[in-house]
Amino acid sequence: MDFKPPFQSIVWNGDHVTIIDQTYLPEREVYLNLSSAGQVWDAIKKLKVRGAPAIGIAGAYGLYLGLKTVTETSFESFYSEADRIAEYLNSARPTAVNLSWALKRLMATIYAVKDQPITDIKQTILETAVTIHNEDRRLCKSIGEVGLEVIPDNARILTHCNTGGLATGEYGTAFSVILHAHHAKKLKQVWVDETRPLLQGSRLTAWELQKADIPFKLNVDSAAAYLMQQGEMDLVILGADRITKNGDTANKIGTYSLAVLADAHNIPFYVAAPYSTIDMDLETGKEIEIEQRDAEEVTHFGSKRTAPKKTDVFNPAFDVTPNELITAIITEKGVIKPNFKTNFEKLFG
Ligand code: MRU
């Protein structure tokens, strides 16, 4: 199926990377040029660029930007500087594995070309970052095509957070399935969870759906149960920040409650993600580090205070859905059903 997504959230521009600053959406489309590792770190930390695959891509360009001005002449000191910058970039956000995955891939590439002159190594780093970016575009397109097989006719799909072109190189993950279902005329309507507290659903997914001309309705997160009870949806499909070997899935806070609800209402619950989100180094979701974010995200709505001063807050950015609640995981290589561990090993080694 051939169609072009309506925007690019990350573009490499010769000596800097340009991103859509997602914190301004949906009101304004502000583009931000990032020319140093520090600026990339800040953009990831503050969610100017966000979504698991997108922060992997941004991190890869960030490592190149950090190294391009380095004057070290021996491989050993260049490599240790690369290691330091990679650690620094990786410290921006802990839960999505795509960031550390991209940085590890670049570090391995640097080591593999260690006998080349430093200028050539720098060029290889840039080429690998571009490869990671282009590869993600292809993977996301495939996820959309593969995912069509689980979409019934006239589908009413609930999604959570933002998994579209903003969160990836292009197309998205769960969003790519929605996009492909729309183009295949299989989609009736999308239910969009607003996704408290940072509203990735209402600010970003609704913006992307409008751009793609896809019919949707926005609902508060707590309306999902009622919608299911009323028989208003056929399936749930969302993305992932890290999937462990057994299929346990970390994704935006609220994902686990949706999985429990879907199970209680006998509604299929799908996760869509590329191989770069599957962490074969972790056995179960218990090992995933969950990012805790600022209290202000909960005590304020925009700049308006909505909780009394000195209110203690619990604000995890993600939760972990146990694999037993997941119907299948849609990857670029196919729709993977339980037993996830065995099937991941078969497909991804
Ligand atoms: O905190 P965010 O906005 O980066 O969280 C993003 C999500 O939870 C997405 O669902 C996930 O990264 C999948 S992106 C294709």
Side-chain angles (χ1 to χ4, degrees):
M1 208 179 291
D2 215 18
F3 54 89
K4 268 273 142 210
F7 65 90
Q8 296 283 315
S9 62
I10 306 177
V11 177
W12 176 251
N13 273 320
D15 62 351
H16 65 273
V17 62
T18 303
I19 59 161
I20 298 182
D21 183 338
Q22 299 187 32
T23 59
Y24 286 97
L25 290 173
E27 277 181 329
R28 288 168 56 206
E29 257 177 67
V30 174
Y31 289 82
L32 198 60
N33 294 331
L34 310 173
S35 335
S36 68
Q39 288 175 352
V40 172
W41 184 90
D42 186 71
I44 295 173
K45 181 83 186 165
K46 295 185 178 150
L47 273 56
K48 294 174 183 185
V49 55
R50 49 141 298 285
I55 65 175
I57 296 163
Y61 287 127
L63 184 55
Y64 169 71
L65 289 168
L67 286 169
K68 97 178 155 112
T69 49
V70 157
T71 52
E72 313 293 347
T73 47
S74 81
F75 176 76
E76 284 67 29
S77 48
F78 180 80
Y79 188 81
S80 89
E81 187 57 4
D83 198 39
R84 186 190 67 75
I85 298 169
E87 283 280 311
Y88 163 68
L89 285 163
N90 196 38
S91 71
R93 294 194 78 189
T95 304
V97 69
N98 306 62
L99 179 57
S100 57
W101 168 86
L103 294 166
K104 274 187 203 157
R105 178 165 165 180
L106 280 179
M107 291 305 294
T109 304
I110 295 172
Y111 196 77
V113 294
K114 67 180 189 312
D115 296 328
Q116 292 180 6
I118 300 290
T119 44
D120 292 3
I121 297 178
K122 288 181 182 176
Q123 188 53 32
T124 304
I125 298 169
L126 175 58
E127 283 164 12
T128 309
V130 172
T131 301
I132 288 171
H133 192 173
N134 287 334
E135 182 185 279
D136 190 65
R137 291 185 167 108
R138 283 196 306 277
L139 297 176
C140 286
K141 178 98 176 89
S142 301
I143 287 171
E145 289 163 356
V146 165
L148 273 181
E149 77 177 65
V150 307
I151 308 295
D153 283 340
N154 266 325
R156 298 157 308 163
I157 303 178
L158 179 112
T159 192
H160 189 69
C161 197
N162 170 264
T163 64
L166 289 168
T168 60
E170 214 173 42
Y171 299 102
T173 56
F175 194 94
S176 181
V177 180
I178 290 170
L179 206 53
H180 281 77
H182 172 66
H183 283 272
K185 305 207 182 322
K186 291 181 97 180
L187 184 71
K188 183 166 182 202
Q189 192 212 296
V190 183
W191 290 107
V192 180
D193 263 5
E194 67 170 351
T195 317
R196 278 281 291 154
L198 293 182
L199 307 177
Q200 286 92 335
S202 57
R203 293 190 304 106
L204 310 176
T205 301
W207 181 80
E208 288 203 45
L209 287 166
Q210 263 183 2
K211 270 201 185 286
D213 244 338
I214 297 178
F216 70 94
K217 265 191 195 156
L218 180 65
N219 55 273
V220 295
D221 301 334
S222 43
Y226 180 54
L227 285 171
M228 290 185 191
Q229 188 190 47
Q230 299 297 310
E232 290 288 340
M233 82 184 67
D234 303 302
L235 65 145
V236 177
I237 177 164
L238 33 68
D241 287 83
R242 190 184 296 247
I243 301 172
T244 56
K245 225 176 185 171
N246 67 345
D248 290 353
T249 294
N251 191 50
K252 181 53 56 195
I253 189 74
T255 299
Y256 173 42
S257 15
L258 284 174
V260 173
L261 285 172
D263 187 50
H265 292 88
N266 226 357
I267 290 173
F269 185 90
Y270 296 103
V271 170
Y275 82 98
S276 51
T277 305
I278 301 170
D279 185 349
M280 294 295 273
D281 289 337
L282 298 190
E283 293 292 330
T284 79
K286 289 199 181 79
E287 298 162 70
I288 299 176
E289 184 184 347
I290 298 294
E291 177 184 5
Q292 302 291 327
R293 294 191 60 87
D294 283 355
E296 280 211 355
E297 292 178 356
V298 182
T299 57
H300 288 66
F301 208 84
S303 56
K304 185 172 167 36
R305 174 175 284 285
T306 53
K309 284 185 183 153
K310 296 190 190 154
T311 297
D312 237 353
V313 166
F314 175 56
N315 186 20
F318 304 97
D319 57 27
V320 177
T321 299
N323 62 77
E324 318 79 82
L325 295 176
I326 299 170
T327 309
I329 298 176
I330 302 163
T331 73
E332 70 281 1
K333 289 204 177 164
V335 175
I336 303 180
K337 298 212 171 103
N339 177 319
F340 294 118
K341 190 172 171 180
T342 312
N343 293 333
F344 283 162
E345 270 160 4
K346 265 192 221 146
L347 275 181
F348 300 108

